[in-house]
Amino acid sequence: MEEEEEQPSEVELKKGRDEGHKFRLHMVTWNVATADPPNDVTSLLHLDSPKSPDLYVIGLQEVSAAPLRFLSDITFDDSWSQMFMSVLAPRKYVMVSSIRMQGLLLLFFSKLEHIAFIRDIQTMYTRTGLFGYWGNKGGVSIHLSLYGHVLCFLNCHLAAHMNYASERVDEFEYIMDSQTFDGKKAQRIVDHRLVFWFGDLNFRIQDHGMHFVRNCINSQNFKLLWSKDQLNMMKQKEQILQEFEEGPLDFPPTYKFDLNSDTYDSRFYRTWFDFNSKKRKPAWTDRILWRLRPKAPPIIGQDDDESKSDVLKQLDEDEEFPLKIRQDLYTSNMEYGVSDHKPVVGVFTLELRKVYDTPLVRLQAEGDWSADIDALVIYSRLQPFSSSAWDWVGLYKVGFRSVSDYLTYTWVKDDEVAFNEEIMQVYVSKEEIPVRGGVCVLCYYSNTLQCIIGISEPFKVHESKVALEEGLLPEKINHLNQSVAGLNLQ
């Protein structure tokens, strides 16, 4: 059954007409060739930049998917996700969503202040390897609404080798056609207001010989290679590709390098009889493109009233709540040598009018909190939304890493007590409150929207006086505190 979409209130619509707001988006695509993460990702994420991003989107390909390694990654987050979370969480970024299909990994991080306004999160994957049965190639995507604007991020790893340019386009079109999402606004990828397509797209530099390509790279005459870049060539023929924009390729091709160096492929390949000195020609295999949804088609030619209504609605929305995009940086990062690919970074500014800027729920901790007494959460609905028996309120330590990084949670419906028609109370057992305490926030998670829709102000959870007086270790008091103590000691 299709979920009912949340409609903005009149107050929100009025606020949406105000001046546009700017959001800084930092994107990374990197084929990591099964390597472990590097020790330092400061330059990759521009952590020293005076302009901190609002959002990070990181797409990786060829994350290690060896059987034993992959089974451990299913049980626990993979080493790359863990690394990015450990780096970004202290800077108040939260991993809002992630999806993995074998070696393909897509991570979406947001500053805490935006979390309650990122809604309707959905993920999809499409296999294209081994005739669609194997996930070593394909695409993974995250669909979401950012302040009412529906976006899609699509991370792909397409077919390899020089002679498969047409097959790469076929795979991309298959991924675009096969991925669908719930809801009325953007059921297909092309319906989204803004789509980012990125990854190891595997397009090569055609026709030019190795000597010419390397001379152009050494002299930084990259423009001489653009016309023979297969993606640029295919754009001349394929309508769907023409709708995607890309910044100029003013950086060295990102494939293929000797490991731990900035030297292009220098290996000798053994044949049956002797050595063959054929090497891989450098190529811009790793790319970041984007597509703003075209303006609605003219009403002329639309046969039924419903189609006309949809066109008019889209035109009104585009005019009332415009969305603009500007690319501020498009480059590769040559300092990382753990893979035979170099990472590619794209930095964007999104300027948009917010369709809404009020959270769906306001919540707060009532009174003093500690493991010595039962506690209460007070929340109120600021707008109507489809609640569920699976909605819950989580207690998080300030600096939490992801939605699942809660200290404890309580089911809203199971422990809810009506205070009055507008304000609700939720009971939290003292057995579930961490003994060591700390500075925490409460988050309301909507199962229908698959996201956090309200966050409290930070508040203090006091240490348990009973535990201190009796000298009890946290792990002897309740099952939860073993993990909580571990978090506090790190």
Side-chain angles (χ1 to χ4, degrees):
M1 182 177 177
E2 192 176 83
E3 299 290 354
E4 182 181 349
E5 292 191 0
E6 309 304 333
Q7 298 299 319
S9 66
E10 288 298 321
V11 174
E12 288 183 310
L13 289 171
K14 183 178 179 181
K15 288 181 178 178
R17 298 184 182 100
D18 294 340
E19 186 178 346
H21 296 264
K22 293 182 179 180
F23 297 85
R24 191 170 177 84
L25 166 64
H26 186 109
M27 296 188 65
V28 175
T29 180
W30 193 3
N31 183 323
V32 298
T34 73
D36 289 326
N39 294 325
D40 188 354
V41 290
T42 299
S43 65
L44 182 68
L45 302 179
H46 296 187
L47 299 179
D48 293 334
S49 171
K51 297 180 179 179
S52 61
D54 296 278
L55 308 168
Y56 278 101
V57 176
I58 301 166
L60 304 181
Q61 307 84 39
E62 292 193 25
V63 175
S64 179
L68 289 177
R69 180 70 168 270
F70 187 59
L71 287 173
S72 68
D73 288 349
I74 292 173
T75 309
F76 309 99
D77 285 318
D78 64 277
S79 59
W80 285 90
S81 298
Q82 289 281 5
M83 180 273 293
F84 284 119
M85 285 192 291
S86 66
V87 169
L88 292 173
R91 292 172 164 81
K92 296 186 178 179
Y93 292 93
V94 177
M95 189 171 75
V96 176
S97 183
S98 67
I99 179 172
R100 180 173 181 182
M101 181 185 72
Q102 219 160 304
L104 271 169
L105 178 64
L106 178 56
L107 309 173
F108 184 96
F109 290 86
S110 168
K111 278 186 175 177
L112 183 62
E113 65 199 70
H114 304 306
I115 295 295
F117 306 100
I118 299 172
R119 302 175 187 170
D120 189 26
I121 300 169
Q122 301 176 49
T123 58
M124 282 293 298
Y125 65 89
T126 303
R127 303 183 183 96
T128 60
L130 197 62
F131 308 105
Y133 291 101
W134 193 241
N136 64 321
K137 296 291 194 296
V140 293
S141 64
I142 295 176
H143 151 113
L144 54 85
S145 171
L146 174 68
Y147 290 95
H149 295 266
V150 187
L151 314 182
C152 183
F153 298 88
L154 175 62
N155 174 25
C156 290
H157 191 187
L158 304 180
H161 304 304
M162 176 69 73
N163 298 327
Y164 285 85
S166 295
E167 285 77 3
R168 287 188 270 279
V169 175
D170 291 342
E171 288 182 352
F172 172 60
E173 291 180 341
Y174 173 72
I175 293 168
M176 292 282 286
D177 291 339
S178 64
Q179 294 200 1
T180 58
F181 304 91
D182 295 331
K184 297 179 181 178
K185 274 194 171 182
Q187 295 180 343
R188 304 170 303 157
I189 291 178
V190 293
D191 298 330
H192 289 73
R193 193 73 184 274
L194 176 60
V195 177
F196 288 94
W197 173 39
F198 53 104
D200 180 0
L201 308 185
N202 253 323
F203 290 100
R204 309 303 171 101
I205 296 173
Q206 199 167 294
D207 297 336
H208 293 311
M210 176 75 78
H211 183 71
F212 179 80
V213 171
R214 292 203 172 187
N215 276 345
C216 290
I217 295 170
N218 292 335
S219 61
Q220 297 189 347
N221 286 323
F222 304 125
K223 289 183 179 180
L224 298 178
L225 303 175
W226 291 353
S227 64
K228 295 301 181 180
D229 170 78
Q230 287 181 333
L231 179 52
N232 288 333
M233 295 173 72
M234 297 303 289
K235 269 190 171 187
Q236 305 301 316
K237 300 186 289 184
E238 301 289 342
Q239 174 64 36
I240 185 63
L241 297 182
Q242 293 171 14
E243 296 178 5
F244 282 84
E245 297 183 59
E246 184 181 20
L249 296 167
D250 283 331
F251 53 87
T254 53
Y255 177 80
K256 177 179 182 162
F257 288 86
D258 294 340
L259 293 181
N260 301 308
S261 78
D262 56 4
T263 302
Y264 284 101
D265 190 16
S266 63
R267 296 179 303 167
F268 287 90
Y269 296 88
R270 184 182 293 274
T271 64
W272 284 105
F273 302 104
D274 205 340
F275 284 98
N276 180 358
S277 62
K278 183 178 180 181
K279 307 175 183 68
R280 295 288 176 89
K281 190 163 50 172
W284 286 290
T285 56
D286 310 282
R287 315 285 276 267
I288 301 174
L289 297 90
W290 69 94
R291 174 188 182 269
L292 267 175
R293 186 181 63 201
K295 290 185 177 180
I299 296 176
I300 300 172
Q302 300 290 342
D303 296 329
D304 58 277
D305 292 338
E306 185 176 352
S307 296
K308 291 178 181 178
S309 176
D310 290 343
V311 170
L312 287 171
K313 188 175 180 181
Q314 181 178 321
L315 285 168
D316 289 343
E317 179 183 307
D318 291 353
E319 183 178 350
E320 188 70 22
F321 302 102
L323 170 63
K324 299 177 183 178
I325 180 172
R326 182 185 75 233
Q327 188 172 56
D328 302 314
L329 180 69
Y330 191 33
T331 189
S332 59
N333 193 315
M334 298 293 287
E335 79 173 66
Y336 294 100
V338 298
S339 166
D340 54 1
H341 291 250
K342 300 298 182 184
V344 170
V345 172
V347 178
F348 299 86
T349 296
L350 306 183
E351 184 174 353
L352 56 85
R353 285 183 182 171
K354 298 177 181 178
V355 180
Y356 49 74
D357 59 4
T358 303
L360 295 176
V361 169
R362 177 184 291 126
L363 70 167
Q364 66 183 63
E366 175 70 4
D368 291 335
W369 276 51
S370 79
D372 298 332
I373 55 173
D374 296 333
L376 284 175
V377 177
I378 294 179
Y379 81 89
S380 57
R381 298 185 182 197
L382 301 182
Q383 302 162 48
F385 67 93
S386 300
S387 60
S388 162
W390 298 103
D391 289 1
W392 47 272
V393 173
L395 177 68
Y396 293 82
K397 193 176 180 181
V398 168
F400 66 97
R401 295 149 55 104
S402 68
V403 174
S404 60
D405 192 23
Y406 49 76
L407 301 176
T408 187
Y409 67 91
T410 183
W411 298 107
V412 171
K413 295 296 182 183
D414 288 350
D415 299 305
E416 190 174 69
V417 181
F419 186 64
N420 59 41
E421 292 182 358
E422 296 181 354
I423 300 176
M424 307 295 288
Q425 293 181 333
V426 179
Y427 163 87
V428 181
S429 169
K430 63 184 179 182
E431 299 297 325
E432 301 298 326
I433 298 175
V435 168
R436 289 185 178 272
V439 181
C440 297
V441 293
L442 294 164
C443 298
Y444 188 112
Y445 184 86
S446 165
N447 185 67
T448 302
L449 297 174
Q450 292 290 294
C451 61
I452 291 170
I453 59 174
I455 303 178
S456 74
E457 292 294 324
F459 66 97
K460 175 74 173 177
V461 175
H462 300 282
E463 284 188 326
S464 168
K465 293 180 180 178
V466 173
L468 290 173
E469 290 171 359
E470 298 186 8
L472 295 176
L473 294 175
E475 59 268 22
K476 294 183 180 179
I477 295 179
N478 64 56
H479 68 281
L480 178 69
N481 289 320
Q482 292 184 16
S483 60
V484 175
L487 285 170
N488 283 325
L489 291 173
Q490 286 178 357

